[in-house]
Amino acid sequence: MKTYLVTGGAGFIGSNYIHYMFKKYGDTIHIINVDCLTYAGNLENLKDIEDKENYTFIKADICDGERMIQIFEENDIDRVVHFAAESHVDRSIKNPDVFVKTNVLGTLNMLNAAKNAWELPDGTFKEGKKFLHVSTDEVYGSLTEDGGYFYETTPYAPHSPYSASKASSDMLVKAYMDTYHFPANITNCSNNYGPYQFPEKLIPLIINNALHGKKLPVYGDGKNVRDWLYVEDHAKGIDMVQEKGRLFETYNIGGHNEKQNIEIIHIILDTLQEMLPEGDPRKALVSEDLITYVEDRKGHDRRYAIAPDKIKAEVGWYPETCFAEGIRKTIKWYFEHEDWMDRITSGDYQKYYEDMYSHR
Ligand code: NAD
Ligand code: DAU
C-alpha cells in the first residue's frame, strides 16, 4: 500500500484531490493529510472520508521543520503532494509576510524533511519515492491579450507577492532536483474552480453574492483573462504526472479555456437563472444590476493562458470537463451545500476541528 503525505488537504484543491484519489484507488492507498487549518482550511470538506482507516489527519504547520521531520520518521511516506500555501493574491498584497513564510520556508521544510527520510548514505534516494510540488501559472507573469501562451520554458516573471513566493518555492524545488537529484516534479496550473472553493475567489464569490442579491465586484475593466480548469481535472493531472511523468520535469496544466472575468460573471448569472426553479425567491435577486465595477487590483495581471502540450504528449492528460458542464456542476454543488457556505460566512466552520477531532 502506497502512503501519500498530502499537505494542505483541507483546502480547496487538496480536498478535491483526496476525494479523487480515494475514488480512483480505494483502499489500496493511505493518505496522511497535514494541514494547520488556516482560515482556508476546512475539515468539513473531508467529512465523508474522515473515518476511513486509510486516511489520517494531522494538524501541523509546515513552517515547523522539526515536526515535518518527525512525521516522516513516524510514517514510511512514498509520495508527497505539496499543496499547502497561502493562495489568495489580494491577501498577499495586504500582508506579504505570511506568504513568504508559508510558501517559501514551508516548502523548504517539506523538501528537507523528505530528503532527510529518503536519502541513502551514498547520496542517492530510496527507490520509488516521489515529491510533487503544486504550483501556479502566475509564476510566468502576465500575457498581453493576443500574446501567446505559457510554456514550461517561459521565463519566470511574477508580479504579486503571492506569485513571487510561489516562484521562489518552485526555484527551491528545482535547486533540490539539480543539486541533490531529489526525486520531484513541479506542476504549474491555471485557475481552478469547482466544489469546496473558498468564497474569496471569483467564481464562488459571484455565485454566493448573486444568490443573496449582493453586489458583484468587478476589478478594473473586467477584461482580465484567466484560463479556467475544473478542479477534478487538476487532481487527475497531478496524479498522472506523479505516476507517468518523467521525474525532475515541470508540467503545465490548463485546458485552453480562456475567459474574461466579466464573461464569467455573465455566464454565472445566466446559469443561475436557468437552474433556479420557478418560484424560488432567489430568482428575483439574481440580476445584472448587481454588477459593480470597483478599483482595480494593484499590479493586476492581464491574461494567463497555459499551453498544455507537454502534459498531453508525455502523460496523456487532457481536461475532461468543459466549462459549460463544469460551471453547472459547480453551481449545483453550491445549491446542494448551502449549509457549507453558511458555516463559512458565519465562521462556524472553524469550530469543526474542536468539535469533531480534538478529542480523538
Ligand atoms: P487554499 O487556500 O484553498 O488551501 C490551502 C490549504 O493549505 C488550507 O487548507 C490551509 O489550511 C493550508 N495551509 C496554509 N498554510 C499552511 C501551513 N503553514 N501549514 C499547513 N497547512 C497550511 O488553496 P488552493 O486554492 O487549494 O491551492 C492549493 C495549492 O494549489 C496552492 O499551493 C496554490 O498555490 C496552488 N494552485 C492553486 C490554484 C487555484 O486556482 N486555486 C491554481 C494553481 C495552483
Ligand atoms: O492562476 C492560478 C491562480 O488562480 C492561483 O495560483 C491562485 O491561488 C488563485 O487564487 C487564482 O488567482 P487569481 O487572482 O487569478 O484568482 P481570483 O479568483 O482571486 O481572481 C480571478 C480574477 O477575477 C482576477 O482577474 C481578479 C478578478 N476578481 C477577483 C475577485 C475576488 C474580480 O474582478 N473581483 C473579485 O471580487
Side-chain angles (χ1 to χ4, degrees), residues 317-342:
W317 176 91
Y318 59 92
E320 280 176 39
T321 307
C322 69
F323 192 73
E325 185 195 346
I327 199 68
R328 289 183 74 85
K329 278 165 89 166
T330 303
I331 289 175
K332 184 168 182 286
W333 189 88
Y334 284 99
F335 279 167
E336 288 166 358
H337 293 80
E338 259 187 293
D339 51 339
W340 178 91
M341 186 64 89
D342 289 346

PDB file of all heavy atoms in Angstrom, residues 317-342:
ATOM      1  N   TRP A 317      -2.562  13.400 -20.487  1.00  0.00           N
ATOM      2  CA  TRP A 317      -3.624  14.127 -19.768  1.00  0.00           C
ATOM      3  C   TRP A 317      -4.335  15.103 -20.694  1.00  0.00           C
ATOM      4  O   TRP A 317      -3.706  15.729 -21.548  1.00  0.00           O
ATOM      5  CB  TRP A 317      -3.027  14.902 -18.589  1.00  0.00           C
ATOM      6  CG  TRP A 317      -4.045  15.758 -17.862  1.00  0.00           C
ATOM      7  CD1 TRP A 317      -4.799  15.385 -16.794  1.00  0.00           C
ATOM      8  CD2 TRP A 317      -4.406  17.122 -18.150  1.00  0.00           C
ATOM      9  NE1 TRP A 317      -5.618  16.423 -16.406  1.00  0.00           N
ATOM     10  CE2 TRP A 317      -5.400  17.502 -17.224  1.00  0.00           C
ATOM     11  CE3 TRP A 317      -3.996  18.054 -19.112  1.00  0.00           C
ATOM     12  CZ2 TRP A 317      -5.981  18.772 -17.216  1.00  0.00           C
ATOM     13  CZ3 TRP A 317      -4.585  19.315 -19.111  1.00  0.00           C
ATOM     14  CH2 TRP A 317      -5.566  19.668 -18.160  1.00  0.00           C
ATOM     15  N   TYR A 318      -5.631  15.192 -20.525  1.00  0.00           N
ATOM     16  CA  TYR A 318      -6.402  16.256 -21.174  1.00  0.00           C
ATOM     17  C   TYR A 318      -7.578  16.574 -20.246  1.00  0.00           C
ATOM     18  O   TYR A 318      -7.993  15.721 -19.452  1.00  0.00           O
ATOM     19  CB  TYR A 318      -6.920  15.813 -22.557  1.00  0.00           C
ATOM     20  CG  TYR A 318      -7.804  14.602 -22.469  1.00  0.00           C
ATOM     21  CD1 TYR A 318      -9.184  14.730 -22.342  1.00  0.00           C
ATOM     22  CD2 TYR A 318      -7.254  13.314 -22.447  1.00  0.00           C
ATOM     23  CE1 TYR A 318      -9.992  13.611 -22.207  1.00  0.00           C
ATOM     24  CE2 TYR A 318      -8.065  12.194 -22.299  1.00  0.00           C
ATOM     25  CZ  TYR A 318      -9.421  12.355 -22.184  1.00  0.00           C
ATOM     26  OH  TYR A 318     -10.232  11.256 -22.017  1.00  0.00           O
ATOM     27  N   PRO A 319      -8.131  17.792 -20.306  1.00  0.00           N
ATOM     28  CA  PRO A 319      -9.253  18.111 -19.424  1.00  0.00           C
ATOM     29  C   PRO A 319     -10.538  17.446 -19.910  1.00  0.00           C
ATOM     30  O   PRO A 319     -10.856  17.517 -21.089  1.00  0.00           O
ATOM     31  CB  PRO A 319      -9.359  19.634 -19.523  1.00  0.00           C
ATOM     32  CG  PRO A 319      -8.649  20.011 -20.762  1.00  0.00           C
ATOM     33  CD  PRO A 319      -7.674  18.939 -21.107  1.00  0.00           C
ATOM     34  N   GLU A 320     -11.237  16.788 -19.001  1.00  0.00           N
ATOM     35  CA  GLU A 320     -12.454  16.067 -19.403  1.00  0.00           C
ATOM     36  C   GLU A 320     -13.697  16.935 -19.317  1.00  0.00           C
ATOM     37  O   GLU A 320     -14.694  16.661 -19.968  1.00  0.00           O
ATOM     38  CB  GLU A 320     -12.660  14.860 -18.473  1.00  0.00           C
ATOM     39  CG  GLU A 320     -11.799  13.681 -18.852  1.00  0.00           C
ATOM     40  CD  GLU A 320     -11.949  12.532 -17.873  1.00  0.00           C
ATOM     41  OE1 GLU A 320     -13.068  12.259 -17.404  1.00  0.00           O
ATOM     42  OE2 GLU A 320     -10.907  11.914 -17.575  1.00  0.00           O
ATOM     43  N   THR A 321     -13.651  17.965 -18.445  1.00  0.00           N
ATOM     44  CA  THR A 321     -14.862  18.743 -18.178  1.00  0.00           C
ATOM     45  C   THR A 321     -14.783  20.107 -18.853  1.00  0.00           C
ATOM     46  O   THR A 321     -13.930  20.918 -18.496  1.00  0.00           O
ATOM     47  CB  THR A 321     -15.046  18.925 -16.651  1.00  0.00           C
ATOM     48  OG1 THR A 321     -14.989  17.632 -16.054  1.00  0.00           O
ATOM     49  CG2 THR A 321     -16.368  19.587 -16.318  1.00  0.00           C
ATOM     50  N   CYS A 322     -15.663  20.343 -19.822  1.00  0.00           N
ATOM     51  CA  CYS A 322     -15.665  21.654 -20.478  1.00  0.00           C
ATOM     52  C   CYS A 322     -16.308  22.673 -19.535  1.00  0.00           C
ATOM     53  O   CYS A 322     -16.977  22.301 -18.571  1.00  0.00           O
ATOM     54  CB  CYS A 322     -16.422  21.598 -21.799  1.00  0.00           C
ATOM     55  SG  CYS A 322     -18.188  21.357 -21.565  1.00  0.00           S
ATOM     56  N   PHE A 323     -16.092  23.955 -19.805  1.00  0.00           N
ATOM     57  CA  PHE A 323     -16.558  24.975 -18.864  1.00  0.00           C
ATOM     58  C   PHE A 323     -18.071  24.953 -18.687  1.00  0.00           C
ATOM     59  O   PHE A 323     -18.573  25.098 -17.572  1.00  0.00           O
ATOM     60  CB  PHE A 323     -16.076  26.373 -19.281  1.00  0.00           C
ATOM     61  CG  PHE A 323     -16.278  27.387 -18.193  1.00  0.00           C
ATOM     62  CD1 PHE A 323     -15.466  27.383 -17.065  1.00  0.00           C
ATOM     63  CD2 PHE A 323     -17.301  28.318 -18.261  1.00  0.00           C
ATOM     64  CE1 PHE A 323     -15.656  28.290 -16.031  1.00  0.00           C
ATOM     65  CE2 PHE A 323     -17.507  29.236 -17.234  1.00  0.00           C
ATOM     66  CZ  PHE A 323     -16.679  29.226 -16.120  1.00  0.00           C
ATOM     67  N   ALA A 324     -18.809  24.771 -19.800  1.00  0.00           N
ATOM     68  CA  ALA A 324     -20.279  24.789 -19.713  1.00  0.00           C
ATOM     69  C   ALA A 324     -20.761  23.715 -18.730  1.00  0.00           C
ATOM     70  O   ALA A 324     -21.666  23.949 -17.919  1.00  0.00           O
ATOM     71  CB  ALA A 324     -20.883  24.565 -21.093  1.00  0.00           C
ATOM     72  N   GLU A 325     -20.134  22.548 -18.785  1.00  0.00           N
ATOM     73  CA  GLU A 325     -20.524  21.455 -17.876  1.00  0.00           C
ATOM     74  C   GLU A 325     -19.995  21.723 -16.458  1.00  0.00           C
ATOM     75  O   GLU A 325     -20.705  21.535 -15.469  1.00  0.00           O
ATOM     76  CB  GLU A 325     -19.952  20.141 -18.428  1.00  0.00           C
ATOM     77  CG  GLU A 325     -20.376  18.922 -17.638  1.00  0.00           C
ATOM     78  CD  GLU A 325     -19.527  17.689 -17.965  1.00  0.00           C
ATOM     79  OE1 GLU A 325     -18.785  17.704 -18.975  1.00  0.00           O
ATOM     80  OE2 GLU A 325     -19.599  16.720 -17.179  1.00  0.00           O
ATOM     81  N   GLY A 326     -18.734  22.168 -16.380  1.00  0.00           N
ATOM     82  CA  GLY A 326     -18.100  22.371 -15.066  1.00  0.00           C
ATOM     83  C   GLY A 326     -18.807  23.434 -14.243  1.00  0.00           C
ATOM     84  O   GLY A 326     -18.982  23.281 -13.034  1.00  0.00           O
ATOM     85  N   ILE A 327     -19.245  24.497 -14.897  1.00  0.00           N
ATOM     86  CA  ILE A 327     -19.881  25.575 -14.130  1.00  0.00           C
ATOM     87  C   ILE A 327     -21.260  25.117 -13.642  1.00  0.00           C
ATOM     88  O   ILE A 327     -21.673  25.447 -12.526  1.00  0.00           O
ATOM     89  CB  ILE A 327     -19.924  26.909 -14.937  1.00  0.00           C
ATOM     90  CG1 ILE A 327     -20.147  28.101 -13.987  1.00  0.00           C
ATOM     91  CG2 ILE A 327     -20.962  26.914 -16.039  1.00  0.00           C
ATOM     92  CD1 ILE A 327     -19.035  28.412 -13.068  1.00  0.00           C
ATOM     93  N   ARG A 328     -21.943  24.305 -14.435  1.00  0.00           N
ATOM     94  CA  ARG A 328     -23.245  23.765 -13.977  1.00  0.00           C
ATOM     95  C   ARG A 328     -23.047  22.814 -12.790  1.00  0.00           C
ATOM     96  O   ARG A 328     -23.774  22.872 -11.812  1.00  0.00           O
ATOM     97  CB  ARG A 328     -23.958  23.013 -15.119  1.00  0.00           C
ATOM     98  CG  ARG A 328     -24.487  23.922 -16.213  1.00  0.00           C
ATOM     99  CD  ARG A 328     -25.244  23.128 -17.273  1.00  0.00           C
ATOM    100  NE  ARG A 328     -26.540  22.702 -16.787  1.00  0.00           N
ATOM    101  CZ  ARG A 328     -27.643  23.456 -16.837  1.00  0.00           C
ATOM    102  NH1 ARG A 328     -27.596  24.656 -17.373  1.00  0.00           N
ATOM    103  NH2 ARG A 328     -28.783  23.006 -16.366  1.00  0.00           N
ATOM    104  N   LYS A 329     -22.009  21.962 -12.875  1.00  0.00           N
ATOM    105  CA  LYS A 329     -21.728  21.046 -11.760  1.00  0.00           C
ATOM    106  C   LYS A 329     -21.387  21.839 -10.497  1.00  0.00           C
ATOM    107  O   LYS A 329     -21.792  21.493  -9.390  1.00  0.00           O
ATOM    108  CB  LYS A 329     -20.531  20.143 -12.110  1.00  0.00           C
ATOM    109  CG  LYS A 329     -20.911  18.950 -12.974  1.00  0.00           C
ATOM    110  CD  LYS A 329     -19.709  18.297 -13.593  1.00  0.00           C
ATOM    111  CE  LYS A 329     -19.083  17.228 -12.760  1.00  0.00           C
ATOM    112  NZ  LYS A 329     -18.131  16.405 -13.544  1.00  0.00           N
ATOM    113  N   THR A 330     -20.632  22.920 -10.700  1.00  0.00           N
ATOM    114  CA  THR A 330     -20.197  23.737  -9.563  1.00  0.00           C
ATOM    115  C   THR A 330     -21.399  24.428  -8.921  1.00  0.00           C
ATOM    116  O   THR A 330     -21.571  24.403  -7.691  1.00  0.00           O
ATOM    117  CB  THR A 330     -19.172  24.796 -10.046  1.00  0.00           C
ATOM    118  OG1 THR A 330     -18.091  24.095 -10.670  1.00  0.00           O
ATOM    119  CG2 THR A 330     -18.637  25.633  -8.903  1.00  0.00           C
ATOM    120  N   ILE A 331     -22.242  25.034  -9.757  1.00  0.00           N
ATOM    121  CA  ILE A 331     -23.413  25.739  -9.224  1.00  0.00           C
ATOM    122  C   ILE A 331     -24.348  24.752  -8.527  1.00  0.00           C
ATOM    123  O   ILE A 331     -24.867  25.029  -7.441  1.00  0.00           O
ATOM    124  CB  ILE A 331     -24.125  26.525 -10.353  1.00  0.00           C
ATOM    125  CG1 ILE A 331     -23.232  27.719 -10.749  1.00  0.00           C
ATOM    126  CG2 ILE A 331     -25.517  26.984  -9.937  1.00  0.00           C
ATOM    127  CD1 ILE A 331     -23.729  28.530 -11.935  1.00  0.00           C
ATOM    128  N   LYS A 332     -24.535  23.583  -9.116  1.00  0.00           N
ATOM    129  CA  LYS A 332     -25.373  22.548  -8.494  1.00  0.00           C
ATOM    130  C   LYS A 332     -24.812  22.190  -7.109  1.00  0.00           C
ATOM    131  O   LYS A 332     -25.539  22.065  -6.136  1.00  0.00           O
ATOM    132  CB  LYS A 332     -25.414  21.317  -9.413  1.00  0.00           C
ATOM    133  CG  LYS A 332     -26.310  20.211  -8.945  1.00  0.00           C
ATOM    134  CD  LYS A 332     -26.508  19.185 -10.071  1.00  0.00           C
ATOM    135  CE  LYS A 332     -27.446  18.062  -9.673  1.00  0.00           C
ATOM    136  NZ  LYS A 332     -26.877  17.101  -8.739  1.00  0.00           N
ATOM    137  N   TRP A 333     -23.485  22.056  -7.061  1.00  0.00           N
ATOM    138  CA  TRP A 333     -22.846  21.716  -5.779  1.00  0.00           C
ATOM    139  C   TRP A 333     -23.117  22.805  -4.741  1.00  0.00           C
ATOM    140  O   TRP A 333     -23.479  22.502  -3.600  1.00  0.00           O
ATOM    141  CB  TRP A 333     -21.334  21.506  -5.967  1.00  0.00           C
ATOM    142  CG  TRP A 333     -20.696  20.957  -4.718  1.00  0.00           C
ATOM    143  CD1 TRP A 333     -20.561  19.651  -4.370  1.00  0.00           C
ATOM    144  CD2 TRP A 333     -20.166  21.722  -3.618  1.00  0.00           C
ATOM    145  NE1 TRP A 333     -19.967  19.548  -3.129  1.00  0.00           N
ATOM    146  CE2 TRP A 333     -19.721  20.806  -2.653  1.00  0.00           C
ATOM    147  CE3 TRP A 333     -20.019  23.078  -3.359  1.00  0.00           C
ATOM    148  CZ2 TRP A 333     -19.133  21.196  -1.448  1.00  0.00           C
ATOM    149  CZ3 TRP A 333     -19.446  23.485  -2.156  1.00  0.00           C
ATOM    150  CH2 TRP A 333     -19.013  22.547  -1.216  1.00  0.00           C
ATOM    151  N   TYR A 334     -22.980  24.070  -5.135  1.00  0.00           N
ATOM    152  CA  TYR A 334     -23.232  25.159  -4.177  1.00  0.00           C
ATOM    153  C   TYR A 334     -24.714  25.209  -3.775  1.00  0.00           C
ATOM    154  O   TYR A 334     -25.034  25.470  -2.616  1.00  0.00           O
ATOM    155  CB  TYR A 334     -22.719  26.504  -4.703  1.00  0.00           C
ATOM    156  CG  TYR A 334     -21.196  26.617  -4.584  1.00  0.00           C
ATOM    157  CD1 TYR A 334     -20.356  26.373  -5.666  1.00  0.00           C
ATOM    158  CD2 TYR A 334     -20.592  26.921  -3.357  1.00  0.00           C
ATOM    159  CE1 TYR A 334     -18.973  26.444  -5.554  1.00  0.00           C
ATOM    160  CE2 TYR A 334     -19.203  26.993  -3.222  1.00  0.00           C
ATOM    161  CZ  TYR A 334     -18.398  26.756  -4.331  1.00  0.00           C
ATOM    162  OH  TYR A 334     -17.031  26.813  -4.198  1.00  0.00           O
ATOM    163  N   PHE A 335     -25.630  24.902  -4.708  1.00  0.00           N
ATOM    164  CA  PHE A 335     -27.060  24.815  -4.353  1.00  0.00           C
ATOM    165  C   PHE A 335     -27.259  23.758  -3.261  1.00  0.00           C
ATOM    166  O   PHE A 335     -28.014  23.946  -2.329  1.00  0.00           O
ATOM    167  CB  PHE A 335     -27.903  24.375  -5.553  1.00  0.00           C
ATOM    168  CG  PHE A 335     -28.250  25.470  -6.528  1.00  0.00           C
ATOM    169  CD1 PHE A 335     -28.765  25.157  -7.787  1.00  0.00           C
ATOM    170  CD2 PHE A 335     -28.088  26.809  -6.212  1.00  0.00           C
ATOM    171  CE1 PHE A 335     -29.096  26.147  -8.693  1.00  0.00           C
ATOM    172  CE2 PHE A 335     -28.420  27.810  -7.120  1.00  0.00           C
ATOM    173  CZ  PHE A 335     -28.923  27.475  -8.369  1.00  0.00           C
ATOM    174  N   GLU A 336     -26.587  22.615  -3.442  1.00  0.00           N
ATOM    175  CA  GLU A 336     -26.802  21.479  -2.531  1.00  0.00           C
ATOM    176  C   GLU A 336     -26.017  21.605  -1.229  1.00  0.00           C
ATOM    177  O   GLU A 336     -26.150  20.770  -0.336  1.00  0.00           O
ATOM    178  CB  GLU A 336     -26.418  20.174  -3.250  1.00  0.00           C
ATOM    179  CG  GLU A 336     -27.426  19.796  -4.320  1.00  0.00           C
ATOM    180  CD  GLU A 336     -26.911  18.712  -5.266  1.00  0.00           C
ATOM    181  OE1 GLU A 336     -25.746  18.270  -5.110  1.00  0.00           O
ATOM    182  OE2 GLU A 336     -27.679  18.318  -6.165  1.00  0.00           O
ATOM    183  N   HIS A 337     -25.132  22.605  -1.151  1.00  0.00           N
ATOM    184  CA  HIS A 337     -24.287  22.744   0.046  1.00  0.00           C
ATOM    185  C   HIS A 337     -24.385  24.149   0.633  1.00  0.00           C
ATOM    186  O   HIS A 337     -23.373  24.716   1.050  1.00  0.00           O
ATOM    187  CB  HIS A 337     -22.836  22.377  -0.283  1.00  0.00           C
ATOM    188  CG  HIS A 337     -22.678  20.937  -0.617  1.00  0.00           C
ATOM    189  ND1 HIS A 337     -22.975  20.419  -1.854  1.00  0.00           N
ATOM    190  CD2 HIS A 337     -22.289  19.879   0.142  1.00  0.00           C
ATOM    191  CE1 HIS A 337     -22.767  19.119  -1.853  1.00  0.00           C
ATOM    192  NE2 HIS A 337     -22.352  18.761  -0.656  1.00  0.00           N
ATOM    193  N   GLU A 338     -25.603  24.649   0.665  1.00  0.00           N
ATOM    194  CA  GLU A 338     -25.825  25.996   1.232  1.00  0.00           C
ATOM    195  C   GLU A 338     -25.339  26.059   2.671  1.00  0.00           C
ATOM    196  O   GLU A 338     -24.826  27.078   3.124  1.00  0.00           O
ATOM    197  CB  GLU A 338     -27.320  26.312   1.204  1.00  0.00           C
ATOM    198  CG  GLU A 338     -27.731  27.205   0.066  1.00  0.00           C
ATOM    199  CD  GLU A 338     -29.185  27.603   0.206  1.00  0.00           C
ATOM    200  OE1 GLU A 338     -30.051  26.704   0.084  1.00  0.00           O
ATOM    201  OE2 GLU A 338     -29.431  28.777   0.449  1.00  0.00           O
ATOM    202  N   ASP A 339     -25.535  24.935   3.400  1.00  0.00           N
ATOM    203  CA  ASP A 339     -25.118  24.907   4.812  1.00  0.00           C
ATOM    204  C   ASP A 339     -23.593  25.044   4.932  1.00  0.00           C
ATOM    205  O   ASP A 339     -23.082  25.691   5.839  1.00  0.00           O
ATOM    206  CB  ASP A 339     -25.612  23.612   5.486  1.00  0.00           C
ATOM    207  CG  ASP A 339     -25.238  22.370   4.691  1.00  0.00           C
ATOM    208  OD1 ASP A 339     -24.972  22.485   3.469  1.00  0.00           O
ATOM    209  OD2 ASP A 339     -25.193  21.279   5.285  1.00  0.00           O
ATOM    210  N   TRP A 340     -22.877  24.441   3.979  1.00  0.00           N
ATOM    211  CA  TRP A 340     -21.401  24.550   3.960  1.00  0.00           C
ATOM    212  C   TRP A 340     -21.012  26.028   3.824  1.00  0.00           C
ATOM    213  O   TRP A 340     -20.161  26.529   4.553  1.00  0.00           O
ATOM    214  CB  TRP A 340     -20.871  23.727   2.779  1.00  0.00           C
ATOM    215  CG  TRP A 340     -19.385  23.753   2.556  1.00  0.00           C
ATOM    216  CD1 TRP A 340     -18.458  22.884   3.076  1.00  0.00           C
ATOM    217  CD2 TRP A 340     -18.642  24.672   1.731  1.00  0.00           C
ATOM    218  NE1 TRP A 340     -17.192  23.215   2.623  1.00  0.00           N
ATOM    219  CE2 TRP A 340     -17.286  24.307   1.805  1.00  0.00           C
ATOM    220  CE3 TRP A 340     -18.993  25.772   0.949  1.00  0.00           C
ATOM    221  CZ2 TRP A 340     -16.274  24.992   1.121  1.00  0.00           C
ATOM    222  CZ3 TRP A 340     -17.999  26.461   0.268  1.00  0.00           C
ATOM    223  CH2 TRP A 340     -16.651  26.067   0.354  1.00  0.00           C
ATOM    224  N   MET A 341     -21.662  26.709   2.892  1.00  0.00           N
ATOM    225  CA  MET A 341     -21.365  28.126   2.663  1.00  0.00           C
ATOM    226  C   MET A 341     -21.762  28.964   3.877  1.00  0.00           C
ATOM    227  O   MET A 341     -21.017  29.849   4.296  1.00  0.00           O
ATOM    228  CB  MET A 341     -22.112  28.598   1.409  1.00  0.00           C
ATOM    229  CG  MET A 341     -21.788  30.000   0.992  1.00  0.00           C
ATOM    230  SD  MET A 341     -20.066  30.218   0.491  1.00  0.00           S
ATOM    231  CE  MET A 341     -20.164  29.845  -1.261  1.00  0.00           C
ATOM    232  N   ASP A 342     -22.941  28.648   4.472  1.00  0.00           N
ATOM    233  CA  ASP A 342     -23.397  29.427   5.637  1.00  0.00           C
ATOM    234  C   ASP A 342     -22.406  29.300   6.784  1.00  0.00           C
ATOM    235  O   ASP A 342     -22.154  30.260   7.500  1.00  0.00           O
ATOM    236  CB  ASP A 342     -24.774  28.929   6.119  1.00  0.00           C
ATOM    237  CG  ASP A 342     -25.860  29.306   5.119  1.00  0.00           C
ATOM    238  OD1 ASP A 342     -25.597  30.141   4.236  1.00  0.00           O
ATOM    239  OD2 ASP A 342     -26.974  28.736   5.221  1.00  0.00           O
TER     240      ASP A 342
END
